[in-house]
Amino acid sequence: MTKHTDPHGTPAVLLDDVVKTFPSAGGRVTAVDHLSLVVQPGEVVAFLGPNGAGKTTTIDLVLGLSEPDAGALSVYGMAPRAAIARGAVSAVMQTGGLLKDYTVAETVALVASLHPSARPVDEVLERAGIADVRGRLVGKCSGGQQQRLRFAMALLSDPDLLILDEPTTGMDVEGRRDFWAAIRADAVRGRTTLFATHYLEEADAYADRIVLVRHGRIVADGTPAEIKALASGRLVRATLPAADGTALARIPGVESVEIRGDVVAVRADDSDAVARYLLTSTAARDVEITSRNLEDAFVALTSDTEHARPGRTPEGVLA
Amino acid sequence: MSTTALDRRVPPLGGLSPTFLRLELRRMLRNRRTVVFTLVMPAAFFLLFGTSSSYRDQSAGAGNVTAYVMVSMALYGAMVATTSGGAMVATERALGWSRQLRLTPLNPLAYVDVKVCVAMVLGGASVVVVTVVGRLSGASLPWDRALACALLAWVCSLVFAAFGLFMGYLLPSENVMQVLGPVLAVLAFAGGLFVPVDQLGDVFGTVAQLTPVYGAAEIVRAPLGADANLWVAALNVLVWLGVFVGGAVWRFRRDTARV
């Protein structure tokens, strides 16, 4: 990480070559694999990846809920547990349980009592959109209301860093919109937000930066636009023995050419030109043209099969 | 965000506060099962088993047999209450609440302190209920001695707060008291709270002296003037306290390391 010497002061989150493994039947499974990441104060970062990519494990490490096997991490320059103890970090986790026999307001009041200078309970309930059910027992609240309650608890310390693990699970469309409006409003005021999601639209719509993870490694890191650019253009595939890669690359609009045995894959803005060339000037057959969207980029970047990865690697985007 | 991350403070006493205690007590008293088993049942047992006219007329040390039963039931109530209080951690672990609390500045030790405090308040309430019902129902014992018995029952129930905590960390179940309730009844029986130990027969009577309620029962009844070997009783209490605290610390350490 020394090459990323920070120009802004202390980073909000710093992970340096972090490794976390878990015991399993056949030895140890690596959940986080030499992952390095720097999040600057005020950034809204989406941690995007399929289930099992290591998102939750990484978040647990940042929150000090588990210890890394190797590597270093800090939160605002502090050890994770120290940051939690000071209320500098708070989180909304999928796994966090609630007590059914507390009311909504009591739950928030209890957590408020743990912070030396907590925001007022009423303000937090209002902001999380559950002021109307403040007297209701938690056990009688809907899944969405319980999720908002977790959010309310996380807002109490007015944290510098807010970590959200699949935050809108169980919320309806309106709840989801309100939730993100609140998150964005705080981000404008300078709160750093790191959220894990497998909803592409959520990452695209609400993050300043998307970090794509697969098998505990970062496979892409950039703005939503940069990540989407990975998916721009079309892919032309054909069966063509002894293809002339140089000739293909010379076609206007071609971004990359990949030749594997008899299969050639060309990424290009102008897929028609490539197809025309292949069909008229070569012996290519089985020509196939596919367009790519963010969904495809996500699948391509996070899937197991290497050849599905896009050929282009824009500077600073593909890790 | 009005302050910078480094200016922030940790909570005093790790998060232990009157607000926290008040909320936890209110929640425990909201649980009907807890109220029945800790506040109603010991007093009901006393009324059932200790208030016959022959018991009222028969003396036992400085008081009558009714007072003897009252003191025994006060300890029984206290131990059920403090065990329930300590065992709350099992429910909270099972529900994921302890994990939620790990996202707050609450120090895990302060959390345990809160559980012990709540357990002791509940235990105290149970002792008070049995003692008051006893005074109103024919337990004859000088005030100072009755007070001493009540106080000792309360202090000795600390052993069972530790027991509850140990079990709470050992058994991650939402309904841990369904297991511990019968266990406590057996322990109370072995400790001589329902039937005097010397009526249990030689072999069982000897074994009973090693069980965790025995020592507490002997100490609690000492102000009645019963002749007891208080050194053996004190040793029993201290050893079991050590076992339960040790067990709770062991499980607690594992728990906080893993969460």
Side-chain angles (χ1 to χ4, degrees), chain B residues 159 208-216 230-242:
Chain B
V159 175
Q209 297 192 6
L210 303 175
T211 60
V213 179
Y214 176 82
L230 287 179
W231 287 112
V232 172
L235 188 68
N236 175 302
V237 168
L238 289 177
V239 166
W240 281 108
L241 183 65

Side-chain angles (χ1 to χ4, degrees), chain A residues 220-234:
Chain A
D221 181 352
T223 64
E226 284 172 323
I227 297 292
K228 273 198 278 194
L230 290 174
S232 71
R234 290 197 170 118

Side-chain angles (χ1 to χ4, degrees), chain A residues 60 63 65 76 78 81 84-88 91 93 95-103 106-107 109-111 113-116 137 150 153 157-160 186 189-191, chain B residues 1-6 8-12 14-17 19-20 23-27 30-31 91-92 95-97 99-106 174 256-259:
Chain A
D60 280 358
L63 293 170
L65 294 176
Y76 283 97
M78 290 179 269
R81 289 313 302 173
I84 294 268
R86 283 168 178 75
M93 300 292 281
T95 49
L98 297 167
L99 293 178
K100 295 171 210 157
D101 41 6
Y102 267 134
T103 66
E106 282 170 345
T107 307
L110 192 156
V111 175
S113 80
L114 304 174
H115 291 286
L137 285 177
R150 290 193 189 90
M153 290 155 76
S157 70
D158 196 9
D160 300 280
D186 286 340
R189 292 171 48 222
R191 176 173 297 153
Chain B
M1 286 172 297
S2 44
T3 52
T4 73
L6 285 166
R8 291 171 176 270
R9 287 170 297 130
V10 295
L16 180 66
S17 70
T19 311
F20 195 172
L23 286 165
E24 286 284 84
L25 269 173
R26 199 198 287 174
R27 182 166 68 89
R30 198 173 278 162
N31 187 325
T91 314
E92 295 172 16
L95 291 172
W97 176 246
R99 196 175 157 88
Q100 184 73 44
L101 289 176
R102 296 275 281 154
L103 304 174
T104 72
L106 177 64
E174 221 181 302
T256 44
R258 186 171 45 83
V259 168

Side-chain angles (χ1 to χ4, degrees), chain B residues 1-234:
Chain B
M1 286 172 297
S2 44
T3 52
T4 73
L6 285 166
D7 292 339
R8 291 171 176 270
R9 287 170 297 130
V10 295
L13 300 175
L16 180 66
S17 70
T19 311
F20 195 172
L21 285 173
R22 202 188 64 234
L23 286 165
E24 286 284 84
L25 269 173
R26 199 198 287 174
R27 182 166 68 89
M28 271 216 104
L29 293 176
R30 198 173 278 162
N31 187 325
R32 225 170 284 138
R33 187 196 297 240
T34 306
V35 171
V36 167
F37 278 97
T38 62
L39 300 182
V40 177
M41 222 175 63
F45 277 0
F46 161 74
L47 291 173
L48 266 173
F49 305 129
T51 52
S52 69
S53 58
S54 63
Y55 280 1
R56 291 189 205 196
D57 297 339
Q58 205 178 329
S59 77
N64 57 5
V65 173
T66 301
Y68 182 95
V69 176
M70 172 188 80
V71 170
S72 296
M73 286 308 113
L75 177 60
Y76 176 67
M79 63 186 255
V80 171
T82 52
T83 304
S84 311
M88 280 171 87
V89 300
T91 314
E92 295 172 16
R93 270 156 40 87
L95 291 172
W97 176 246
S98 12
R99 196 175 157 88
Q100 184 73 44
L101 289 176
R102 296 275 281 154
L103 304 174
T104 72
L106 177 64
N107 183 308
L109 276 175
Y111 171 76
V112 171
D113 290 346
V114 167
K115 294 295 140 191
V116 172
C117 286
V118 169
M120 291 310 286
V121 170
L122 206 63
S126 183
V127 169
V128 166
V129 169
V130 174
T131 306
V132 168
V133 170
R135 299 300 296 193
L136 297 174
S137 316
S140 142
L141 189 65
W143 265 112
D144 52 343
R145 288 176 185 251
L147 192 68
C149 287
L151 212 62
L152 286 171
W154 183 66
V155 171
C156 285
S157 68
L158 189 63
V159 175
F160 296 94
F163 172 67
L165 271 179
F166 181 22
M167 291 300 125
Y169 278 112
L170 197 64
L171 314 165
S173 147
E174 221 181 302
N175 300 311
V176 67
M177 278 313 285
Q178 287 176 0
V179 179
L180 294 184
V183 169
L184 288 176
V186 169
L187 289 179
F189 183 78
L193 290 186
F194 297 143
V195 179
V197 171
D198 50 25
Q199 290 178 21
L200 294 175
D202 274 352
V203 177
F204 199 77
T206 311
V207 174
Q209 297 192 6
L210 303 175
T211 60
V213 179
Y214 176 82
E218 291 290 295
I219 289 174
V220 165
R221 284 192 295 245
L224 286 170
D227 53 333
N229 190 340
L230 287 179
W231 287 112
V232 172

